[in-house]
């Protein structure tokens, strides 16, 4: 089992979310960061973090590597934890992290949005503990190496599958708390995933496809609120078919929050809308496609969600084509 006493940690995907956990964990360990487009900047100058919680102008100079093979080459001791904080796009991450995964030892922690994202890791690493985490953390990286973080930091943590021993997920929860973060342990983290998906799988594709903030979408037509509510109800039905009841009040609360933003000019831009505007790939499969597939598996009617999925997938493929040819 990974030791809580200065565990050896690798953070894969060090953008907004990855940098905040890299920063917190650097208080209790010397984590290594696998960087990609921000590699040169971070290696030379480190990160600057401006956070409503931790303060402004924080300088963080982590150990930086280009890939997991380099991370293991530098220090052959096994990693106790690998945190996956990249966007959940594509199926290649298990292969990319495999040089740093020691069978029967390394705990793989997924800090990503989406549903059904753990199975691929479990299939690739059947003998490693998998910890699934739902993160509430408004954070962006812009430009490379400069992190802006808002007023919330919360990790909901559990084992995958939920029937697996909670030894490692509880140890990771303690580690985050020890580092000064906010961590809650849940016996069945999938309910928390479905609850977050209610917002992500509805508002993300709607806003990305319409180029509207949530408030602007609600303003755009008398029926727009009904569409959001219908999509959310379909997500609730899929979750229920898989054994998870999302309380109806959560749906009302979420819709109410967006409605309250009408008129005060503070509509929210969900991450997929930000991605479209920046010409970046979106987490369509992890957030919408997997939900639709899980609906089909149980014969749940989810026509509106399916339409959003097909349209968002088409938009994402155009973004990918454009990136390839530019
Ligand atoms: N940001 C938020 O406010 C927020 C809130 C809650 C949940 N989340 C979820 O948290 C996860 C991470 O989001 P984020 O906003 O932190 O994303 P992000 O800012 O885009 O950061 C992801 C990082 O992963 C890197 N990466 C991707 N593939 C890689 C690879 N193959 N090798 C090395 N590095 C790789 C990216 O590098 P490049 O720059 O080279 O692409 C980027 O630095 C997502 O699932 C998101 O939905 C985000």
């Amino acid at each position: 089992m990974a030791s809580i006493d200065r565990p050896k940690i690798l953070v894969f995907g060090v953008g907004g979310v990855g940098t905040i956990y890299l920063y917190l964990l650097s208080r209790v360990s010397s984590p290594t960061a696998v960087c990609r487009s921000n590699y040169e900047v971070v290696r030379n100058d480190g990160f600057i973090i401006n956070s409503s919680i931790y303060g402004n102008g924080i300088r963080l100079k982590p150990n930086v590597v280009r890939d997991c093979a380099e991370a293991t080459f530098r220090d052959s001791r096994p990693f106790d934890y690998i945190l996956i904080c990249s966007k959940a796009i594509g199926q290649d991450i298990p292969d990319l992290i495999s040089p740093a995964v020691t069978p029967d030892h390394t705990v793989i922690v997924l800090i990503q949005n989406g549903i059904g994202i753990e199975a691929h890791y479990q299939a690739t690493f059947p003998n490693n503990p998998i910890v699934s985490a739902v993160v509430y953390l408004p954070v962006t990286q812009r430009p490379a190496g400069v992190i802006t973080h808002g007023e919330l930091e919360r990790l909901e943590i559990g084992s995958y599958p939920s029937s697996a021993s909670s030894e490692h997920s509880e140890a990771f929860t303690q580690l985050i708390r020890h580092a000064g973060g906010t961590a809650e342990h849940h016996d069945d983290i999938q309910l928390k995933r479905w609850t977050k998906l209610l917002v992500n799988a509805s508002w993300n594709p709607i806003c990305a496809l319409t180029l509207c903030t949530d408030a602007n979408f609600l303003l755009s037509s008398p029926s727009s609120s009904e569409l959001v509510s219908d999509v959310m109800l379909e997500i609730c039905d899929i979750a229920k078919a898989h054994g998870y009841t999302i309380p109806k009040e959560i749906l009302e609360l979420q819709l109410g929050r967006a409605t309250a933003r009408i008129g005060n000019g503070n509509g929210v831009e969900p991450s997929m809308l930000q991605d479209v505007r920046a010409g970046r790939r979106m987490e369509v499969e992890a957030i919408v496609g997997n939900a639709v597939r899980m609906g089909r598996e149980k014969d749940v009617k989810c026509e509106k969600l399916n339409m959003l999925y097909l349209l968002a997938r088409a938009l994402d493929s155009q973004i990918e084509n454009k990136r390839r040819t530019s």
Side-chain angles (χ1 to χ4, degrees), residues 183-197:
E184 291 171 5
H185 187 269
H186 293 272
D187 291 341
D188 193 343
I189 191 64
Q190 295 306 320
L191 176 61
K192 297 292 164 184
R193 281 211 170 270
W194 279 111
T195 303
K196 189 158 192 213
L197 199 82

Side-chain angles (χ1 to χ4, degrees), residues 11 19 177 183 194 202 215 239 249 261 275 296 313 317 320:
V11 181
T19 305
R177 288 184 187 153
W194 279 111
S202 51
E249 306 80 71
R261 286 191 276 266
D275 289 339
R296 271 199 214 120
R313 192 181 149 112
S317 72
E320 173 63 358

Side-chain angles (χ1 to χ4, degrees), residues 113 134-137 156 191-201:
N113 278 331
V134 179
V135 62
Y136 289 85
L137 186 76
E156 299 172 337
L191 176 61
K192 297 292 164 184
R193 281 211 170 270
W194 279 111
T195 303
K196 189 158 192 213
L197 199 82
L198 185 72
V199 174
N200 281 336

Side-chain angles (χ1 to χ4, degrees), residues 12-19 34-38 66-67 84-89 92-93 96 111-114 117 134-141 147 196 200 204 271 274-275 280 283 287 323:
F12 179 92
V14 193
V17 169
T19 305
V34 180
C35 288
R36 194 165 64 176
S37 61
N38 56 3
R66 276 195 191 278
D67 55 39
I84 312 297
C85 303
S86 56
K87 291 219 165 127
I89 295 173
D92 60 345
I93 300 173
L96 295 175
I111 305 184
Q112 296 177 309
N113 278 331
I117 60 167
V134 179
V135 62
Y136 289 85
L137 186 76
V139 60
T140 51
Q141 173 179 229
I147 306 294
K196 189 158 192 213
N200 281 336
N204 262 301
S271 66
Q274 293 175 26
D275 289 339
R280 290 186 304 248
E283 295 174 293
I287 292 176
R323 282 172 76 92

Side-chain angles (χ1 to χ4, degrees), residues 99-229:
V101 177
T102 301
D104 289 312
H105 182 85
T106 310
V107 180
I108 300 166
V109 183
L110 304 180
I111 305 184
Q112 296 177 309
N113 278 331
I115 196 79
I117 60 167
E118 304 95 341
H120 193 40
Y121 290 86
Q122 192 191 35
T124 312
F125 306 108
N127 299 320
N128 289 82
I130 294 177
V131 171
S132 183
V134 179
V135 62
Y136 289 85
L137 186 76
V139 60
T140 51
Q141 173 179 229
R142 204 174 299 131
V146 178
I147 306 294
T148 305
H149 170 218
E151 282 179 4
L152 178 66
E153 179 276 319
R154 189 170 92 237
L155 260 191
E156 299 172 337
I157 297 168
S159 306
Y160 180 84
S162 301
S163 56
S165 156
S166 62
E167 179 189 358
H168 301 285
S169 51
E170 289 197 31
F172 184 69
T173 306
Q174 290 304 329
L175 182 67
I176 292 291
R177 288 184 187 153
H178 189 50
T182 310
E184 291 171 5
H185 187 269
H186 293 272
D187 291 341
D188 193 343
I189 191 64
Q190 295 306 320
L191 176 61
K192 297 292 164 184
R193 281 211 170 270
W194 279 111
T195 303
K196 189 158 192 213
L197 199 82
L198 185 72
V199 174
N200 281 336
S202 51
W203 279 117
N204 262 301
I206 287 173
C207 294
L209 289 161
T210 59
L211 300 181
C212 285
T213 64
D214 57 356
N216 284 341
F217 180 73
L218 291 176
L219 264 180
S220 67
S221 128
S223 308
S224 51
S225 170
E226 195 183 319
L227 173 63
V228 181
S229 171

